[in-house]
Amino acid sequence: MTKEEKKKLLYRPEHGFDRLTAAEEAEMNAYCEDYKAFLDASKTERECVFTAVKLAEQRGFVEYKRGMKLQPGDKVYFNNRGKAIMLAVIGTLPLSAGANIGAAHTDAPRLDLKPNPLYEDAEMAYLKTHHYGGIRKYQWVTVPLELHGKVTRADGSEVYIKIGDDPADPQLVINDLLPHLGREQGKKPLNEAIPSESLNILIGSRPERDDDGSDRVKLAVMKLLNEKYGIVEEDFISAELEAVPAANARDIGLDRTLIGAYGHDDRVCAYAELAALFATEHPEKTAVCIFADKEEIGSEGVSGMQSQAFDTFMADLCASQGVELRECFENSFCLSADVTAAYDPNFAEVYERRNSAFVNYGIGLCKYTGSGGKGGASDASAEVVGKVRKLFNDNGVIWQMAELGKTDAGGGGTVAKYMANRNIDTLDAGVPVLSMHAPFETVSKLDCYMTFRGMKAVFASK
Ligand code: MN
Ligand code: MN
């Protein structure tokens, strides 16, 4: 048998760097610089929306208002309460032909402040946290933290707080036990060694000098917050303050092929969608890019993918063309753009090597997610996977097939099922990630770039 015949007959994915041209590599590196800048400016879901609006408006997108007349090629966005956003480029075909949708999420695991967070103990001031999403608690101690978020004051006025982002700012931290006294802690299972109620952020240690009461350090911290942000302790109750890792995105590896950062899950796919939408002019089908919130806690709430906000936005677009939403949905396609696990040789025992995504092998297609017997998965059909496979092959997108890990090892979900439940053909695809959900996650530039290329192909598809 010839080499060619053998290659045709057997499936053997090729390493991305054996396929990438020099021109593609240059474009990949430029794309990843923009992605890193997006990450550094967007450390919370609110900041992702803020950045997206800013970038979109620079490219001629306007805020969508109900009843607006729309022409093919028009670019609009709908900001859902500052926490999620949908952007669209209107197609030349009516919406009855369906839309091409990219759905990613921009919330990431983090430590939220509790409603009554500030207290003092042993003359140090702390903030109590309630973790958001699936974190491995032991990873969040002794890493520098920033505090980002919004506070609504008693009179209804608002202030946005960002502490630690500016290089001149102080940062915050959660302390851990010294090994010398960690004998008992060291015997505990990983998920019990750091209890949730010990994830308390150190925020100050200087007592208020001329006060004779107790809690002098807490008082002094509150005074600083009041001077800078005009808030009082009760204002924490109507606040969303998120402690996030303080590190900015950095190249990883001597060859600079990887990016380390907080929040690749799922900003790496969200940014790919956004950049792809910006590169889409006059598509046949209307192209829609979604930054969803709350995916990490089940896509719940008004800003999550289960919210009617998406249906309302699409119904409004349809109404402007006299199209029924249900007709649009049944002809639409959605790439549920979310990350998957990258095979990690240090933890080989949890992966099934023949069905794992590998770093530098391109965007990972997941026919199904879920856990156990595909529980909670939308499980895309052969036809839908076939369509995307052909689309990617026709457009030179380097892709691979991906399963999270061994069937018995665990599992996870995405927004895919909520899109599929709307009668929209949906497939999961995204960037393989090392150390997913850790304060500092790692992805490959090639996979980031190929996700952008894949998304661009979806938006241009018929
Ligand atoms: Mn995700
Ligand atoms: Mn996640």
Side-chain angles (χ1 to χ4, degrees), residues 264-441:
H264 283 310
D265 176 10
D266 182 33
R267 292 163 195 160
V268 68
C269 297
Y271 184 73
E273 281 181 1
L274 188 69
L277 192 74
F278 291 161
T280 300
E281 299 274 350
H282 296 282
E284 284 195 21
K285 289 187 177 177
T286 294
V288 180
C289 162
I290 305 170
F291 283 17
D293 183 26
K294 298 282 179 270
E295 191 277 342
E296 296 294 358
I297 59 167
S299 299
E300 315 283 351
V302 283
S303 52
M305 208 60 246
Q306 296 195 66
S307 162
Q308 288 280 317
F310 170 64
D311 311 73
T312 303
F313 174 64
M314 291 303 292
D316 285 345
L317 295 187
C318 285
S320 75
Q321 300 179 354
V323 168
E324 292 283 351
L325 179 66
R326 62 176 195 273
E327 194 184 355
C328 171
F329 277 179
E330 76 183 4
N331 292 315
S332 291
F333 170 74
C334 175
L335 202 77
S336 164
D338 204 345
V339 300
T340 186
Y343 181 85
D344 186 337
N346 290 307
F347 303 98
E349 64 279 7
V350 299
Y351 296 92
E352 198 269 275
R353 210 181 164 124
R354 291 179 179 84
N355 287 280
S356 287
F358 288 80
V359 158
N360 286 325
Y361 277 76
I363 178 173
L365 306 188
C366 299
K367 185 177 182 296
Y368 47 85
T369 58
S371 61
K374 303 191 181 182
S378 72
D379 203 359
S381 69
E383 294 90 329
V384 170
V385 181
K387 173 187 145 147
V388 175
R389 178 183 158 208
K390 182 172 186 318
L391 180 72
F392 285 2
N393 284 340
D394 291 348
N395 287 277
V397 178
I398 299 175
W399 61 274
Q400 58 185 322
M401 164 302 314
E403 255 201 60
L404 200 65
K406 275 185 180 164
T407 309
D408 291 337
T414 67
V415 302
K417 62 177 173 179
Y418 305 114
M419 303 308 284
N421 288 349
R422 290 177 162 108
N423 197 24
I424 299 172
D425 275 330
T426 302
L427 178 64
D428 272 303
V431 176
V433 178
L434 293 163
S435 310
M436 196 196 294
H437 283 205
F440 198 71
E441 305 172 315

